[in-house]
């Protein structure tokens, strides 16, 4: 997901990750994500916005635990990951997941939509699915395919570009939409296998579409809220 980073962090990244983007591995992507996540969490900690609402944080951890345990069965690779979940009172992203299971969840989004536990489980399962499906690695690989010059440049530059280079971001938008749809679908299935009723999960997308000021188009790299609600409703109808 998209985070704004201060420029000096890019210079540091280049020192830590001198390797070319041509030979990307999940391990390298996870190491880069862990570093960016640490930096972002430290910013939140310094501004007293890291896990500031203890009740909300504990609620998120309580709901996420069984979902991560279920993901370990469905995607065995994820059982070895050092999952981390933090919360923040506000945040420009509703929630995001970075490679290797590094999550951040915004209380503002949960409050705005008055999310039930099932709806919050849907948000978390969507993010867990992004990580489990290696969406970051696939995005970097697609960027190198679209712009082969990236293969010879340091990975840290590509890591920065997918969040800041609007030309590249627009080219990646079709993949981004597919990844959102996949995370919606696989996330709902994950949470359903973990025991949540499918229709209660799907209600998250109904609330999000109702709350959206433009339900038929919101972001260029995301499917529209109304199409997500329709897909969730249709999938839920197939699950007992
Ligand atoms: Zn997503």
């Amino acid at each position: 997901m998209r985070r704004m980073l201060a420029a000096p962090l890019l210079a540091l990244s280049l020192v830590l990750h001198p390797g070319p983007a041509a030979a990307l591995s999940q391990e390298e992507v996870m190491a880069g994500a862990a570093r960016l996540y640490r930096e972002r969490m430290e910013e939140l900690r310094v501004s007293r916005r890291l896990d500031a609402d203890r009740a909300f944080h504990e609620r998120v951890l309580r709901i996420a635990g069984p979902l991560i345990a279920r993901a370990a069965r469905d995607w065995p690779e994820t059982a070895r990951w050092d999952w981390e979940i933090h919360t923040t009172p506000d945040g420009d992203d509703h929630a995001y997941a970075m490679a290797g299971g590094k999550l951040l969840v915004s209380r503002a989004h949960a409050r705005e939509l008055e999310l039930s536990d099932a709806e919050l489980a849907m948000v978390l399962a969507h993010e867990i699915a992004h990580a489990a499906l290696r969406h970051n690695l696939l995005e970097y690989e697609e960027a190198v395919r679209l712009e082969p010059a990236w293969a010879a440049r340091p990975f840290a530059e590509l890591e920065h570009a997918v969040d800041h280079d609007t030309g590249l971001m627009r080219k990646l938008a079709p993949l981004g939409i597919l990844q959102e749809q996949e995370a919606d679908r696989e996330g709902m299935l994950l949470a359903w296998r973990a025991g949540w009723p499918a229709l209660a999960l799907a209600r998250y997308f109904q609330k999000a579409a109702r709350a959206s000021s433009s339900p038929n188009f919101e972001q260029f790299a995301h499917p529209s809220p109304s199409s997500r609600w329709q897909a969730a409703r249709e999938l839920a109808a197939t699950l007992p």
Side-chain angles (χ1 to χ4, degrees):
M1 299 300 288
R2 316 292 171 216
R3 303 306 317 173
M4 297 302 291
L5 290 174
L9 297 180
L10 175 60
L12 178 64
S13 302
L14 293 175
V15 173
L16 295 173
H17 292 270
L24 279 176
S25 68
Q26 171 70 359
E27 286 64 35
E28 186 172 15
V29 171
M30 281 171 48
R35 171 179 43 76
L36 292 175
Y37 186 77
R38 264 198 312 276
E39 292 165 357
R40 176 62 182 152
M41 295 311 108
E42 181 59 15
E43 289 171 20
L44 291 175
R45 193 188 65 74
V46 166
S47 60
R48 300 182 183 278
R49 289 180 296 142
L50 184 69
D51 307 333
D53 180 335
R54 182 173 294 225
F56 178 68
H57 186 62
E58 287 176 358
R59 181 178 171 219
V60 166
L61 293 183
R62 173 173 54 78
I63 295 170
L67 296 172
I68 289 170
R70 180 69 223 194
R73 291 170 60 186
D74 299 337
W75 293 283
E77 160 188 40
T78 69
R80 301 190 302 275
W81 291 355
D82 180 19
W83 287 87
E84 287 185 68
I85 302 174
H86 287 291
T87 57
T88 186
D90 41 34
D92 26 311
D93 289 319
H94 299 157
Y96 68 77
M98 296 173 72
K102 310 293 189 196
L103 276 60
L104 183 71
V105 185
S106 150
R107 185 190 63 182
H109 183 57
R111 277 200 175 164
E112 184 198 354
L113 297 188
E114 299 180 341
L115 296 184
S116 68
D117 282 359
E119 292 154 1
L120 193 50
M122 184 63 242
V123 172
L124 288 163
H126 170 101
E127 299 304 332
I128 291 167
H130 271 310
L133 294 163
R134 294 179 163 206
H135 278 171
N136 284 125
L137 174 62
L138 295 169
E139 181 184 42
Y140 297 133
E141 288 174 346
E142 176 72 353
V144 173
R145 192 186 70 79
L146 290 166
E147 296 185 354
W150 283 110
R153 298 176 64 182
F155 169 54
E157 286 186 14
L158 175 58
E159 197 179 39
H160 189 261
V162 300
D163 285 349
H164 297 82
D165 177 339
T166 48
L168 179 60
M169 289 163 72
R170 286 206 173 267
K171 289 185 197 173
L172 289 168
L175 175 67
I177 289 173
L178 290 176
Q179 289 188 336
E180 291 308 315
Q181 291 167 337
E182 189 178 28
D184 285 351
R185 186 175 63 248
E186 292 297 325
M188 183 189 286
L189 289 169
L190 169 69
W192 175 74
R193 287 192 297 267
W196 292 99
L199 194 58
L201 296 165
R203 293 277 176 217
Y204 166 72
F205 296 100
Q206 183 179 34
K207 277 192 180 173
R210 280 185 178 160
S212 173
S213 56
S214 52
N216 297 310
F217 177 82
E218 204 164 63
Q219 301 173 50
F220 70 82
H222 275 66
S224 71
S226 58
S227 72
R228 296 176 78 177
W229 161 227
Q230 182 181 344
R233 194 173 49 200
E234 288 173 4
L235 176 58
T238 69
L239 300 172

